[in-house]
């Protein structure tokens, strides 16, 4: 599939996805949602890619939301299809067998904030702004925002953000536990690449299973999550990475991981 609004670069096991619709501050239209979905399907199969970073093109925006011009005249059934398309993308990020880091370089609003929340963690530049302004447009978040944000920052803070539509700056978002680190704009991608490099040197199978355990466990009772964790832990003992990782430790050398 030819990508009109998405740039994909692979560097040493790290795929950098850059949302690229600068004329609309990288807003998500249907075509872009399809492109992102296709990109994540391809990345799932690509054994050479260990970590994915998502960012926005330009100086101003990560993603300024779903495309308001495209949504303005749709009916309820089309809105349902649009929201489901966005939620399918979110699910594919959650189910991806490798970590996804959001490098938020500017406005992350509405569907753009929800895209960042779907990633495994967020680094933000000092210029980043986070908000769910849907109620200012007479709608509500429909791309996972009401569910994911409350799970990350708690119900009361999520209520305040969703009901007011106000924006948080990068430091406020860090204080609320949305963002892992705030960086000068020029250092954002370097820091994301550095972290991605650390992850990609580890056993990909262990990282993938750990992502699955943490994500799935959050939707389970703790007793079920612990049982799920132990089953994934055990499965790793059938992997090449476990043999290599432990032998390398015992032989005092760096592990050369090859996968499951
Ligand atoms: N959709 C379409 N176009 C946009 C969007 C958007 N979300 N955001 C900005 N643009 C366009 C502007 O219309 C403008 O175009 P033009 O130059 O042709 O007039 C261009 O980008 C530049 O924007 P501004 O001139 O407005 O730039 P400012 O610096 O003055 O303002 C803001 C920047 C504050 C980010 C402002 O553009 C803004 O408020 N944008 C809209 C933010 C918003 O409300 N986002 C939420 C949208 S609703 C949503 O995301 C719902 C998700 C739930 C369902 C999703 C399913 C996938």
């Amino acid at each position: 599939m030819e990508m009109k609004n998405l740039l994909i670069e692979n560097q040493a096991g790290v795929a950098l996805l850059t949302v690229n619709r600068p004329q609309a501050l990288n807003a998500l239209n249907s075509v872009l949602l399809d492109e992102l979905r296709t990109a994540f399907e391809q990345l799932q199969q690509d054994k050479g890619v260990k970590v994915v970073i998502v960012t926005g093109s330009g100086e101003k925006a990560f993603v300024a939301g779903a495309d308001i011009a495209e949504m303005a005249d749709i009916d309820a059934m089309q809105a349902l299809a649009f929201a489901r398309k966005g939620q399918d993308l979110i699910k594919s990020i959650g189910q991806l067998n490798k970590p996804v880091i959001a490098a938020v370089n500017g406005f992350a609003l509405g569907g753009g904030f929800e895209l960042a929340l779907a990633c495994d963690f967020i680094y933000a530049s000092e210029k980043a702004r986070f908000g769910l302004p849907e109620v200012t447009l007479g709608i509500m978040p429909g791309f996972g925002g009401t569910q994911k944000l409350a799970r990350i920052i708690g119900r009361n803070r999520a209520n305040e953000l969703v009901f007011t539509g106000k924006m948080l700056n990068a430091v406020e978002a860090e204080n609320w536990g949305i963002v892992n680190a705030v960086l000068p704009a020029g250092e954002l991608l370097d820091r994301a690449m550095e972290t991605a490099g650390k992850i990609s040197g580890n056993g990909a199978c262990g990282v993938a299973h750990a992502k699955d355990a943490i994500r799935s466990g959050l939707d389970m009772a703790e007793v079920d999550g612990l049982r799920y964790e132990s089953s994934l832990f055990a499965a790793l003992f059938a992997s090449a990475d476990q043999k290599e990782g432990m032998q390398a430790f015992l032989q005092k050398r760096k592990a050369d991981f090859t996968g499951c």
Side-chain angles (χ1 to χ4, degrees):
M1 178 182 184
E2 191 203 341
M3 305 283 184
K4 288 190 185 139
N5 308 289
L6 193 60
L7 308 174
I8 307 177
E9 290 165 65
N10 288 345
Q11 298 174 27
V14 181
L16 176 64
L17 301 191
T18 305
V19 178
N20 186 35
R21 283 191 75 215
Q23 70 278 19
L25 298 187
N26 304 326
L28 301 169
N29 61 11
S30 306
V31 174
L32 178 48
L33 286 173
D34 286 338
E35 289 178 356
L36 280 163
R37 183 81 198 280
T38 301
F40 280 104
E41 276 165 12
Q42 290 169 354
L43 289 166
Q44 177 83 3
Q45 305 306 327
D46 189 339
K47 290 205 168 109
V49 172
K50 311 275 195 241
V51 183
V52 181
I53 298 172
V54 182
T55 195
S57 73
E59 304 271 299
K60 204 163 167 181
F62 172 71
V63 169
D67 192 305
I68 298 169
E70 183 174 316
M71 285 186 297
D73 293 322
I74 61 176
D75 63 24
M77 291 314 290
Q78 290 168 316
L80 183 62
F82 190 56
R84 293 252 165 94
K85 199 186 265 274
Q87 291 184 359
D88 285 347
L89 168 63
I90 281 179
K91 273 188 226 143
S92 71
I93 295 174
Q95 288 166 359
L96 190 74
N97 57 358
K98 45 204 97 183
V100 184
I101 303 171
V104 175
N105 52 311
F107 289 110
L109 302 176
F113 188 10
E114 293 166 306
L115 175 63
L117 290 170
C119 297
D120 293 302
F121 56 91
I122 303 174
Y123 286 159
S125 93
E126 289 164 343
K127 292 184 184 170
R129 297 287 178 275
F130 297 85
L132 292 169
E134 284 88 342
V135 293
T136 70
L137 298 165
I139 57 169
M140 61 172 277
F143 193 14
T146 62
Q147 304 306 303
K148 288 201 183 294
L149 192 60
R151 282 170 170 80
I152 293 170
I153 64 174
R155 187 196 63 177
N156 292 6
R157 283 178 162 171
N159 283 344
E160 186 183 339
L161 273 191
V162 172
F163 298 164
T164 61
K166 75 175 188 179
M167 287 186 216
L168 297 179
N169 65 34
V171 172
E172 289 168 328
E174 186 181 33
N175 291 339
W176 279 21
I178 294 167
V179 160
N180 284 20
V182 178
L183 299 147
E187 293 172 23
L188 176 66
L189 277 186
D190 287 347
R191 173 67 180 276
M193 287 299 290
E194 186 188 320
T195 299
K198 275 190 190 138
I199 296 170
S200 66
N202 295 329
C205 210
V207 171
H209 279 33
K211 169 171 172 168
D212 182 11
I214 293 169
R215 286 216 173 229
S216 304
L218 285 170
D219 291 331
M220 293 179 192
E222 190 174 331
V223 63
D224 298 321
L226 286 168
R227 198 174 299 121
Y228 191 54
E229 181 189 68
S230 59
S231 68
L232 293 175
F233 175 81
L236 286 170
F237 283 74
S239 73
D241 277 357
Q242 178 269 331
K243 308 280 175 274
E244 168 62 12
M246 293 194 177
Q247 283 307 314
F249 176 82
L250 294 173
Q251 293 164 7
K252 302 190 186 308
R253 61 175 173 80
K254 193 173 177 304
D256 180 17
F257 291 114
T258 53
C260 289

